[in-house]
Amino acid sequence: YIHIFGAYFGLAVCFFLTDYKATAHPDNISCYTSDLFAFAGTLFLWLLWPSFNAAIAPTGIERVRAVVNTVISLTGATVMSFVCSRLLSSYGY
């Protein structure tokens, strides 16, 4: 439960502390370096997180189940990120 609280607390703080001027500022765009670091972080997450989750499983089948469940949850989170981004974008698509 502490992770859910931390996630929603961080989103609420960002929502209340960010104004339109900061969002519309010309420096608030992506660049090659930030895109490269985001890609590297995503790659490490997808490659290392399933084995990290399966490390404490006692036997082989539980480890496989932990890896499969982690990959399924990462896939679901990725798909929902794209869906929510599309639905909540201000472009009106």
Side-chain angles (χ1 to χ4, degrees), residues 3-17:
H3 294 96
I4 295 172
F5 170 75
Y8 284 119
F9 181 77
L11 287 173
V13 168
C14 288
F15 178 76
F16 286 111
L17 293 181

Side-chain angles (χ1 to χ4, degrees), residues 45-71 73-74:
L45 174 73
W46 275 84
L47 291 177
L48 300 177
W49 191 253
S51 63
F52 176 77
N53 275 346
I56 61 171
T59 63
I61 192 67
E62 281 88 5
R63 287 184 181 155
V64 171
R65 186 176 297 144
V67 168
V68 169
N69 286 340
T70 304
V71 170
S73 65
L74 283 171

Side-chain angles (χ1 to χ4, degrees), residues 11-26 28:
L11 287 173
V13 168
C14 288
F15 178 76
F16 286 111
L17 293 181
T18 304
D19 58 349
Y20 180 74
K21 291 181 198 175
T23 307
H25 196 274
N28 192 16

